[in-house]
Amino acid sequence: MATKARVMYDFAAEPGNNELTVNEGEIITITNPDVGGGWLEGRNVKGERGLVPTDYVEILPSDGKDQFSCGNSVADQAFLDSLSASTTQASSSAASSNHQVAILAQIGCVESISQSPPSSPSFTNKVGSGNDPWSAWSASKSGNWESSEGWGAKPDGAGAQRNTNTPDNWDTAFGHPQAYQGPATGDDDDWDEDWDGPKSSSYFKDSESADAGGVQRGNSRASASSMKIPLNKFPGFAKPGTEQYLLAKQLAKPKEKIPIIVGDYGPMWVYPTSTFDCVVADPRKGSKMYGLKSYIEYQLTPTNTNRSVNHRYKHFDWLYERLLVKFGSAIPIPSLPDKQVTGRFEEEFIKMRMERLQAWMTRMCRHPVISESEVFQQFLNFRDEKEWKTGKRKAERDELAGVMIFSTMEPEAPDLDLVEIEQKCEAVGKFTKAMDDGVKELLTVGQEHWKRCTGPLPKEYQKIGKALQSLATVFSSSGYQGETDLNDAITEAGKTYEEIASLVAEQPKKDLHFLMECNHEYKGFLGCFPDIIGTHKGAIEKVKESDKLVATSKITPQDKQNMVKRVSTMSYALQAEMNHFHSNRIYDYNSVIRLYLEQQVQFYETIAEKLRQALSRFPVM
């Protein structure tokens, strides 16, 4: 009997992408459950066939009732089937069923009760219609916002909006001249799961924690579709305790060391003699699975080599995960712009995503540790498929990750005492919390101002303009010949106010846009600090407990001394990162606010000139 599935959420097919439009509650027949990348092929009652996200449906047993005590998605059922197949051949069907139920109990199966479809927010920037591009963009999802310090509430994310009338202007030939075409789209080591497939849980997040947008980073569908099976692409990386580093017998080899020096403003990273940026450009539409699935890839050109490579969004996402796994205990790694299911090939969305990927890459290139790391260099400079896969596997086997990254750091400074270490940590926590509040306030005010500038405010100017022109029309009806000049002047004044309305609506894209983007970037950075500070506080508490451990002979006095020394290294790393953060913050906010004010001055000067011209038409009597 053909497998049936119930649709849990509405899904609108993307034109030209072999997808099937389905509605909540609809029953479809699954014709191919193994399409891959988080998609299945189904047929509706009308006989129409196409691709549907697996997380949007739940499989139905032959009797039409749920087989287990919780609704299972197709992805979950496939996982359970594989578990069942691994049991002994002598097991009875009843025992196999009991085994599945036991597995469900272990992984904490919960019923899908979300009423909203599991899609990511739309980033479509349509200023003219009064929609600002930030109201739907949940804050940069780095770190664990719901930390014990309670840093702030999660902002609301808007639902996905789609414009099916937007032409697809990216249907150009796949590939770029003189650029390596990027990792192959084969099935090797599960690398070719589609862009929107279930992602691994972040290294620094518990399964129940949520990011700033209300869903876990890297698994934007998880909360809505009740993802029950953690699909970790990076096995072997459990979240270790700080004692793994504090009590490690052997630290990193000298060649892997990251030096920390003391400069004019305190501890700092060692900056490379030459810096570089990476240009993200030329988005192209590619396809896989014999044209069944499409995606966008970008050309990346490091300025220090001028040799281009091509990457899809999911490759950026892989890099983000690797940097987070390796450096996230010490260095804030802001999240990438979100994924989304619908509208992902619309021109405006692609341009906005490219702009944000560019900003993210520029941030990474500016960091002296990240930019020089092996995984980042490999991402930009691999030459062929073999080199890419070798570097990828090496990065995923890297043991110097998490808290062990501190074992690579070597401060050229005397050890700090525990009191000073604790004071430094508290100071960083206090400042980043206060800055986070300030950034949130500016974002809120900016969003409100954007909406006013693209909605009510232009309408007010239009009303004034129309009222003046109507008055001139009334005056003209008098038939009095001596008022022609006055009527013409009033008419032109009305048109001037209509022109001002257009200027007001367009102005946010010229100045407020950049201020808001800068704030969102820093919101992403600040979202990382609760985890970083939590790691440091955990290490400090371990050192405070060390006297008891020495007294009970669980550790030696030398072990305690090593713990204090290593917590001191962590403190130097935190101070070095904060010096880098502050220097960038001063430069960035000086630049962006200066740009904002320059554009505002030009804006008001343009309005003033238009009003002067309108005024000059009225004679002095």
Side-chain angles (χ1 to χ4, degrees):
M1 180 180 292
T3 303
K4 302 286 187 180
R6 180 187 296 110
V7 178
M8 296 188 293
Y9 314 103
D10 293 340
F11 174 72
E14 190 78 32
N17 206 29
N18 297 311
E19 296 171 354
L20 178 66
T21 297
V22 292
N23 298 314
E24 181 180 354
E26 183 179 351
I27 304 298
I28 63 172
T29 302
I30 300 176
T31 56
N32 184 357
D34 300 320
V35 174
W39 296 82
L40 58 82
E41 184 183 58
R43 183 178 66 247
N44 61 18
V45 294
K46 299 179 182 178
E48 301 169 335
R49 296 177 62 167
L51 301 176
V52 178
T54 56
D55 288 343
Y56 276 55
V57 303
E58 60 178 355
I59 203 165
L60 295 176
S62 58
D63 61 358
K65 299 180 180 179
D66 290 342
Q67 187 174 356
F68 302 108
S69 61
C70 58
N72 296 321
S73 69
V74 174
D76 299 336
Q77 184 64 41
F79 179 81
L80 293 172
D81 290 343
S82 67
L83 288 176
S84 179
S86 66
T87 57
T88 58
Q89 296 296 324
S91 299
S92 65
S93 59
S96 176
S97 176
N98 290 335
H99 175 66
Q100 290 182 344
V101 173
I103 291 295
L104 281 171
Q106 291 176 2
I107 62 178
C109 183
V110 284
E111 215 164 354
S112 301
I113 59 174
S114 173
Q115 299 301 315
S116 59
S119 61
S120 301
S122 169
F123 301 115
T124 308
N125 179 3
K126 298 179 181 178
V127 178
S129 65
N131 296 329
D132 67 275
W134 297 279
S135 60
W137 184 27
S138 55
S140 299
K141 300 170 190 59
S142 316
N144 180 6
W145 279 95
E146 301 307 308
S147 67
S148 59
E149 296 185 341
W151 268 40
K154 299 173 284 186
D156 294 324
Q161 298 282 333
R162 235 173 111 236
N163 181 5
T164 55
N165 298 323
T166 303
D168 190 352
N169 296 329
W170 304 93
D171 245 331
T172 51
F174 173 52
H176 306 293
Q178 301 179 347
Y180 175 58
Q181 299 304 312
T185 55
D187 292 328
D188 182 67
D189 67 338
D190 295 328
W191 177 234
D192 194 42
E193 79 286 2
D194 201 42
W195 63 271
D196 57 351
K199 301 297 295 179
S200 63
S201 297
S202 177
Y203 182 73
F204 293 97
K205 298 181 182 65
D206 297 325
S207 60
E208 294 181 2
S209 66
D211 57 26
V215 290
Q216 243 183 317
R217 166 67 206 139
N219 190 6
S220 57
R221 290 178 171 188
S223 66
S225 59
S226 297
M227 176 61 69
K228 309 167 197 67
I229 313 296
L231 303 178
N232 194 342
K233 286 199 301 185
F234 312 116
F237 285 104
K239 185 175 181 178
T242 53
E243 62 271 11
Q244 179 181 350
Y245 162 64
L246 296 178
L247 297 173
K249 298 299 181 183
Q250 185 175 1
L251 298 183
K253 300 176 182 178
K255 68 175 183 178
E256 298 169 325
K257 292 293 185 181
I258 300 173
I260 300 174
I261 62 175
V262 178
D264 295 337
Y265 298 98
M268 58 181 293
W269 306 118
V270 176
Y271 287 79
T273 54
S274 60
T275 59
F276 69 96
D277 197 357
C278 178
V279 178
V280 182
D282 198 17
R284 298 285 184 92
K285 188 175 181 180
S287 61
K288 54 180 269 191
M289 293 161 49
Y290 305 101
L292 287 175
K293 296 302 300 177
S294 299
Y295 55 84
I296 300 296
E297 68 162 7
Y298 304 85
Q299 185 183 70
L300 279 68
T301 309
T303 57
N304 58 343
T305 64
N306 287 323
R307 192 180 68 85
S308 299
V309 295
N310 297 328
H311 281 297
R312 294 165 55 182
Y313 177 89
K314 73 172 188 178
H315 302 158
F316 284 94
D317 203 36
W318 176 86
L319 175 63
Y320 162 75
E321 293 278 5
R322 296 320 314 165
L323 294 177
L324 187 64
V325 165
K326 184 170 180 64
F327 297 108
S329 289
I331 298 171
I333 309 295
S335 179
L336 294 169
D338 245 349
K339 300 174 182 179
Q340 73 176 34
V341 174
T342 59
R344 60 188 183 277
F345 298 128
E346 293 180 3
E347 183 176 358
E348 194 69 23
F349 168 75
I350 292 171
K351 288 181 178 179
M352 179 166 285
R353 167 174 280 183
M354 185 172 69
E355 178 184 332
R356 288 169 176 165
L357 288 175
Q358 175 69 76
W360 190 85
M361 287 300 296
T362 295
R363 291 286 178 191
M364 298 300 101
C365 289
R366 283 164 63 174
H367 198 286
V369 176
I370 300 295
S371 63
E372 296 295 306
S373 65
E374 187 174 0
V375 62
F376 191 74
Q377 288 290 326
Q378 189 265 349
F379 184 79
L380 295 178
N381 297 315
F382 65 95
R383 295 183 177 275
D384 52 40
E385 186 70 20
K386 181 179 179 181
E387 187 175 332
W388 165 260
K389 290 182 178 179
T390 301
K392 172 182 174 290
R393 292 185 179 116
K394 182 179 180 181
E396 292 172 358
R397 291 195 299 265
D398 190 355
E399 295 180 356
L400 295 175
V403 291
M404 292 307 295
I405 192 62
F406 295 110
S407 68
T408 67
M409 297 175 183
E410 195 168 63
E412 298 178 6
D415 294 342
L416 302 172
D417 61 57
L418 196 60
V419 174
E420 188 174 2
I421 291 171
E422 197 164 11
Q423 289 174 347
K424 297 290 185 183
C425 185
E426 290 294 336
V428 171
K430 184 177 180 180
F431 173 79
T432 51
K433 170 64 172 67
M435 182 176 174
D436 179 65
D437 292 339
V439 166
K440 285 180 180 177
E441 182 180 3
L442 186 54
L443 285 172
T444 300
V445 172
Q447 289 173 7
E448 293 173 353
H449 183 62
W450 186 291
K451 291 176 181 178
R452 281 182 52 80
C453 289
T454 56
L457 199 53
K459 291 179 181 178
E460 292 299 318
Y461 283 106
Q462 289 173 353
K463 289 178 181 178
I464 295 173
K466 291 184 182 300
L468 288 172
Q469 293 179 72
S470 297
L471 182 63
T473 301
V474 172
F475 284 178
S476 299
S477 66
S478 69
Y480 186 69
Q481 296 180 357
E483 64 177 346
T484 303
D485 292 342
L486 173 62
N487 295 341
D488 290 344
I490 295 175
T491 299
E492 291 302 317
K495 292 180 180 179
T496 297
Y497 273 91
E498 289 184 334
E499 292 174 4
I500 291 174
S502 298
L503 291 174
V504 170
E506 292 296 318
Q507 186 61 26
K509 291 190 293 186
K510 299 177 181 179
D511 49 32
L512 186 57
H513 168 79
F514 300 102
L515 182 59
M516 296 287 281
E517 288 289 324
C518 181
N519 269 275
H520 271 294
E521 286 187 70
Y522 273 89
K523 188 175 180 66
F525 279 115
L526 294 165
C528 300
F529 278 102
D531 275 331
I532 293 175
I533 294 169
T535 299
H536 284 258
K537 287 184 176 181
I540 292 171
E541 290 302 317
K542 292 294 181 183
V543 174
K544 289 181 177 180
E545 296 171 2
S546 61
D547 287 333
K548 295 180 180 179
L549 298 177
V550 172
T552 56
S553 300
K554 293 183 178 179
I555 63 173
T556 66
Q558 182 61 43
D559 288 334
K560 176 188 174 181
Q561 186 176 347
N562 289 340
M563 290 174 69
V564 176
K565 182 179 180 64
R566 291 173 184 178
V567 171
S568 177
T569 297
M570 294 176 66
S571 181
Y572 277 119
L574 181 61
Q575 294 175 64
E577 182 55 35
M578 286 308 296
N579 271 327
H580 175 76
F581 179 86
H582 286 314
S583 63
N584 279 272
R585 173 180 59 83
I586 292 169
Y587 174 83
D588 291 334
Y589 276 92
N590 181 75
S591 299
V592 74
I593 295 178
R594 182 182 178 88
L595 172 64
Y596 178 78
L597 294 176
E598 287 174 348
Q599 290 295 320
Q600 283 281 290
V601 168
Q602 184 177 339
F603 167 64
Y604 284 109
E605 285 179 345
T606 301
I607 291 178
E609 181 58 31
K610 288 185 174 294
L611 292 174
R612 288 191 192 97
Q613 292 177 5
L615 176 62
S616 66
R617 294 178 177 272
F618 291 83
V620 178
M621 295 183 179

